[in-house]
Amino acid sequence: MSLETPVKIRSLQRKLYCKAKAEPAFRFYLLYDKICREDILRHAYALARANAGAPGVDGESFAAIAAAGEEEWLAGLRQELTTRTYRPAPVRRVTIPKPGGGERPLGIPTIRDRMAQTAAKLVLEPIFEADLEESAYGYRPGRGGTDPVKEVHRLLGRGYTDVVDADLSKYFDTIPHSELLKSVARRIVDRHVLWLIKMWLKAPIEETGGGGEGKRRMTGGKRNTRGTPQGGVASPMLANLYMNRFLKHWRMTGRGEAFCADVVSYADDFVILSRGHAAEALAWTTQVMTRLGLTLNGAKTTLKDARKECFDFLGYTFGPEYHRKTGRRYLSASPSRKSVQRLKGKIDGLLVSGNKDPWPEVRDQLNRLLRGWSSYFSYGTRLMAYRAVDNHVYDRVRHFLRRRCKVQGRGTRRFPADHVFGTVGVLRLRRVHLGLCRVPCDETSRKAGCRKSARPV
């Protein structure tokens, strides 16, 4: 199945978007039949399969679906949706470590539910997209990950240096269902679509209990009145829709002019950049968020003067920097220390001594990791961060190859930097920075990794 949106679906999305954009008060009343369309469900399945992901509470994987027969499986789900006998399964909750410490809950729906949510998203997203404010950047088609970073940097350069570095407490988990459904119903009056969304919001949460291994407990369900599981396919779209209330209220009440400020938002992550009115903007924002049923994290929400101190946003650090050659001060955007440390941790996890995979496979995984990181952190002042990553990569790769090839000592003579980043085939970010990226072919780098070894390293 192709991941390119079929022409027929793209035409439907364009019509829905144009109608919503041209008539801001129009309410759509016939959409459920489009979610049930066979071509939309097939494309939704292709998208869900491409995203892969872990199985839900039923343990069903894409491999199991393929073995049992995809056609029958798709037909069964379509029949459930068409006859409105579909009911979502509980959401499996896992926790992942947060960069700043603590854990973030992540909800994993079943493949069946992920596919149904993807089908709904294909139909509903163009309608909601027409209403989103220009200052919203997260999870939107046609907007790159570094677009909000560039906008923040541009505003700092224009003198908007009094910053509200905001942090919402558990945004995805605290969105009030009643208010969120009102936001949906402002555009959607098809009761069957509203029924679908309400069921996803009310789906029980299955999580491992504290009473021992394998013991699980159910929370949430029909009594739950808040939250949309972070990890669900529809959650980013719904989270954007609710956050748009704040952004729209900001614009319609003229806060930008009153506070000489602009908001840059990426889902629940946002900053307010002002010319001298950051404190007033923060006070106003706190009141509005309270009315929306949300809470600003007082410990993490701070006021900063970007001319004197740094702040982090979306993995970048913004603030004063001095040119290495001229000593001139300027306001920079660069990969944050936390972002560099997280990458180093992933590199360490890949190049552990217990990794017995052939070297070409290990190298390719490492290069994909480095390329993905550098493609996002490709803006602003990044040379020092790239150097720090290159130095760490060289150190870890050298030790990895030294252990595998049983080389005595530190391995610097056997595996010098030019050899590791040249013949062996490891990507050097400084070459990416200069636009001089070249990776040797697999066979050459396989032989070069350990010249005396009779097997691939």
Side-chain angles (χ1 to χ4, degrees), residues 183-198:
S183 296
V184 174
R186 195 183 73 80
R187 276 299 204 172
I188 311 297
V189 292
D190 188 323
R191 62 189 179 93
H192 300 306
V193 174
L194 297 173
W195 165 77
L196 261 185
I197 295 174
K198 188 174 182 179

Side-chain angles (χ1 to χ4, degrees), residues 99-133:
E103 294 182 327
R104 184 192 306 277
L106 189 68
I108 304 178
T110 62
I111 292 176
R112 175 172 160 273
D113 294 334
R114 294 206 294 266
M115 178 183 157
Q117 290 184 32
T118 304
K121 182 183 176 185
L122 287 170
V123 176
L124 301 180
E125 189 174 56
I127 298 171
F128 297 143
E129 174 67 21
D131 291 336
L132 295 185
E133 296 291 314

Side-chain angles (χ1 to χ4, degrees), residues 14-291:
R14 188 180 300 111
K15 289 177 181 177
L16 291 171
Y17 175 82
C18 291
K19 181 69 173 178
K21 198 70 174 176
E23 300 182 36
F26 185 82
R27 304 175 76 192
F28 294 80
Y29 51 90
L30 282 177
L31 295 173
Y32 188 78
D33 61 322
K34 297 169 179 59
I35 293 174
C36 299
R37 267 174 36 178
E38 184 177 354
D39 59 334
I40 287 179
L41 289 173
R42 283 184 177 278
H43 186 56
Y45 179 76
L47 293 172
R49 187 176 62 182
N51 288 331
V57 295
D58 59 359
E60 188 176 45
S61 65
F62 286 101
I65 294 173
E70 291 179 351
E71 292 297 326
E72 293 79 4
W73 189 88
L74 285 166
L77 177 57
R78 183 167 187 253
Q79 177 69 15
E80 288 183 23
L81 287 168
T82 303
T83 58
R84 292 187 286 281
T85 56
Y86 164 82
R87 297 294 183 275
V91 176
R92 181 165 70 91
R93 172 167 285 180
V94 298
T95 56
I96 57 175
K98 295 174 68 174
E103 294 182 327
R104 184 192 306 277
L106 189 68
I108 304 178
T110 62
I111 292 176
R112 175 172 160 273
D113 294 334
R114 294 206 294 266
M115 178 183 157
Q117 290 184 32
T118 304
K121 182 183 176 185
L122 287 170
V123 176
L124 301 180
E125 189 174 56
I127 298 171
F128 297 143
E129 174 67 21
D131 291 336
L132 295 185
E133 296 291 314
E134 285 298 314
S135 55
Y137 289 88
Y139 312 119
R140 296 183 65 180
R143 296 206 168 193
T146 57
D147 286 347
V149 174
K150 294 175 182 177
E151 179 63 10
V152 168
H153 199 204
R154 185 184 70 84
L155 289 168
L156 289 174
R158 293 178 55 195
Y160 292 79
T161 53
D162 296 291
V163 180
V164 179
D165 185 8
D167 184 88
L168 283 170
S169 296
K170 300 179 179 178
Y171 173 65
F172 280 83
D173 295 331
T174 58
I175 299 175
H177 291 172
S178 59
E179 294 302 310
L180 175 58
L181 288 170
K182 286 179 183 177
S183 296
V184 174
R186 195 183 73 80
R187 276 299 204 172
I188 311 297
V189 292
D190 188 323
R191 62 189 179 93
H192 300 306
V193 174
L194 297 173
W195 165 77
L196 261 185
I197 295 174
K198 188 174 182 179
M199 282 199 301
W200 289 328
L201 292 175
K202 299 290 184 182
I205 306 294
E206 182 184 281
E207 53 189 328
T208 303
E213 186 177 354
K215 187 174 181 180
R216 297 185 176 276
R217 61 189 178 94
M218 289 286 189
T219 59
K222 292 182 179 180
R223 295 181 180 178
N224 185 30
T225 61
R226 288 179 174 271
T228 174
Q230 193 167 357
V233 177
S235 292
M237 177 183 69
L238 296 175
N240 266 354
L241 182 64
Y242 197 65
M243 187 64 180
N244 199 57
R245 277 193 172 193
F246 165 73
L247 299 175
K248 186 175 181 180
H249 189 52
W250 170 279
R251 176 177 57 82
M252 294 187 69
T253 56
R255 294 302 96 188
E257 294 77 14
F259 300 142
C260 296
D262 276 332
V263 181
V264 179
S265 169
Y266 193 97
D268 60 328
D269 218 349
F270 70 98
V271 291
I272 302 174
L273 300 105
S274 169
R275 287 177 170 171
H277 299 277
E280 297 97 306
L282 174 58
W284 183 88
T285 299
T286 302
Q287 294 176 0
V288 173
M289 290 300 179
T290 301
R291 293 204 297 270

Side-chain angles (χ1 to χ4, degrees), residues 287-306:
Q287 294 176 0
V288 173
M289 290 300 179
T290 301
R291 293 204 297 270
L292 291 174
L294 306 173
T295 306
L296 283 175
N297 188 329
K300 294 183 178 180
T301 300
T302 56
L303 299 177
K304 297 286 182 69
D305 182 351

